[in-house]
Amino acid sequence: MEHGALFLFGSGPGIGVRVAQRFSRNHFSRIILLSRNSQRLSEEANSLSSDSPGLQVDTVAIDLADTVSVSEALAGVDLLLADSPLEVVVYNAARPIPSKFFEYELAELETDLRVSVGSLYTVANWAFPKFEAIRSDMTLRPSFLVTSGGLYKSPMPACHVLA
């Protein structure tokens, strides 16, 4: 069974690329990787493409700390979708930098909130109408996954923004 497109926000060498590999093995033929680091995105796309012949991988440089640029990037991303339905969004964005509570600059906290809340909201607002549009297609399973959901069980005190 062929699937629609997977959008992976916050692609990277850990969870991000492994999620993309898993979805490519499960018959997703279209993956769009989004992250700040253009060079790493290119390397990840090449790696995924070589592991899965026939997989179409696109990359988009995006700074999820800048909510205005996120909106602009999403407008451009719509062109990448073309005829592929958006089926899955994985929001894997965070800034896991060492930080001690009360020693963290307010400006850094505001940046973290833009990444983990503001841009997440913007991406969800973009994705959910697309999910609604494919709801009647029983071969597709629209999904919005956020990887930071387990932190309530296992917080990371050394990176209080992830706690």
Side-chain angles (χ1 to χ4, degrees):
M1 170 173 72
E2 280 297 312
H3 288 276
L6 162 73
F7 273 68
L8 178 58
F9 290 84
S11 183
I15 292 172
V17 76
R18 296 219 176 29
V19 166
Q21 288 168 339
R22 173 65 64 153
F23 276 87
S24 70
R25 288 186 198 121
N26 286 297
H27 310 288
F28 275 75
S29 58
R30 184 82 193 275
I31 295 177
I32 295 92
L33 304 174
L34 301 99
S35 183
R36 283 181 310 215
N37 189 323
S38 297
Q39 181 179 345
R40 191 181 68 229
L41 279 173
S42 179
E43 292 166 4
E44 290 170 2
N46 290 338
S47 175
L48 282 170
S49 295
S50 65
D51 288 347
S52 302
L55 176 65
Q56 181 179 349
V57 182
D58 293 297
T59 63
V60 175
I62 189 170
D63 183 357
L64 293 165
D66 181 352
T67 52
V68 172
S69 74
V70 171
S71 296
E72 292 170 356
L74 291 175
V77 159
D78 284 333
L79 300 174
L80 283 178
L81 273 174
D83 294 332
S84 300
L86 173 65
E87 186 171 358
V88 176
V89 170
V90 176
Y91 195 86
N92 180 52
R95 292 180 352 124
I97 56 177
S99 56
K100 290 184 180 180
F101 201 67
F102 296 121
E103 293 179 15
Y104 201 56
E105 295 292 325
L106 180 58
E108 293 296 319
L109 180 62
E110 290 169 342
T111 299
D112 292 332
L113 289 171
R114 283 193 303 276
V115 171
S116 62
V117 178
S119 289
L120 173 59
Y121 178 80
T122 301
V123 170
N125 196 32
W126 167 83
F128 277 77
K130 293 172 181 0
F131 290 160
E132 187 65 29
I134 63 168
R135 195 168 99 176
S136 62
D137 186 338
M138 294 301 166
T139 65
L140 301 174
R141 298 180 124 168
S143 303
F144 195 100
L145 309 170
V146 181
T147 59
S148 63
L151 291 172
Y152 75 96
K153 283 180 157 180
S154 303
M156 296 176 66
C159 294
H160 94 273
V161 73
L162 297 179

